[in-house]
Amino acid sequence: MVTKIDWLDAGLKVLADEGSPALTIERLTTELGLSKGSYYHHFKGTGGFRTALLEHFENSFTTRLIDTVERRPEADAATKLTELMELVLADADSVRLEIAVRAWALQDPEARAAQERVDQARIAYLQELCRGISSMKEPDHLARLLYLILIGAEQIVPPVPGAELRALYATTLTLATGEPFLS
């Protein structure tokens, strides 16, 4: 039995591969090899699916990552920041999805609102972590800079590879703290 999450995961795959115009009932049923009835069992039309898909994106690629890092509340901020960066860099396939959601947000108010929530949550969490590192200079600005580095690295063609992005982060954090950061 295909679950609502299966439909949403298929939607994220279609979105990453083909963009938001491909998020049609026909395309999704083809992707999963199912009937429209199964789709309507879980969603109230295209609008309901798209709303659920944006929530699924936010939960899977923002909330889940923060929750994963926060499972160790005793860890210091530098350890949490390193763990967060490793989680983000571990999923190279998410780059296409991030680009697709940003492109969708340029054309759709609901997608834009979701992207704004995601960006705000991510930056706020980075600011919290950066403020927790005593040697950090300008923690709020650095948090925003770290996020902008990620967004920019995803947007250039071809995207910056994970190893190079990790090195860019290490350099940036070393400059901001005055001590070696990220091994």
Side-chain angles (χ1 to χ4, degrees), residues 4-183:
K4 183 176 183 177
I5 297 299
D6 293 329
W7 280 101
L8 295 171
D9 286 342
L12 291 179
K13 180 182 181 314
V14 168
L15 178 60
D17 292 345
E18 302 171 42
S20 64
L23 291 173
T24 65
I25 296 170
E26 292 76 18
R27 179 65 188 88
L28 293 165
T29 55
T30 299
E31 180 72 24
L32 289 170
L34 296 170
S35 69
K36 289 181 182 179
S38 176
Y39 176 90
Y40 286 112
H41 173 74
H42 295 290
F43 307 102
K44 294 180 180 175
T46 303
F49 176 77
R50 288 175 178 235
T51 298
L53 186 65
L54 289 165
E55 290 171 1
H56 185 58
F57 167 74
E58 186 172 355
N59 289 332
S60 298
F61 292 91
T62 301
T63 308
R64 180 184 59 83
L65 297 178
I66 293 169
D67 290 349
T68 298
V69 172
E70 286 301 318
R71 283 190 186 131
R72 294 189 319 131
E74 75 286 351
D76 64 22
T79 300
K80 289 179 179 182
L81 182 59
T82 301
E83 184 177 348
L84 178 64
M85 288 183 194
E86 291 302 328
L87 286 170
V88 169
L89 296 174
D91 187 3
D93 292 337
S94 70
V95 171
R96 290 185 348 268
L97 180 59
E98 293 281 342
I99 292 168
V101 173
R102 285 189 186 284
W104 186 12
L106 293 173
Q107 304 164 15
D108 181 89
E110 185 178 14
R112 181 183 176 88
Q115 185 66 67
E116 286 178 11
R117 280 192 313 275
V118 164
D119 287 343
Q120 289 171 358
R122 290 172 177 177
I123 291 169
Y125 187 60
L126 283 169
Q127 287 173 331
E128 177 185 327
L129 294 179
C130 288
R131 288 178 193 144
I133 301 171
S134 62
S135 60
M136 187 75 62
K137 299 173 184 100
E138 301 290 335
D140 288 353
H141 288 143
L142 183 72
R144 187 173 291 273
L145 177 61
L146 292 172
Y147 192 57
L148 293 173
I149 290 169
L150 176 67
I151 302 307
E154 292 173 344
Q155 296 296 316
I156 65 171
V157 179
V160 175
E164 186 178 346
L165 187 53
R166 188 175 283 103
L168 288 168
Y169 279 138
T171 299
T172 303
L173 290 165
T174 298
L175 290 170
T177 61
E179 51 195 57
F181 208 99
L182 298 176
S183 48

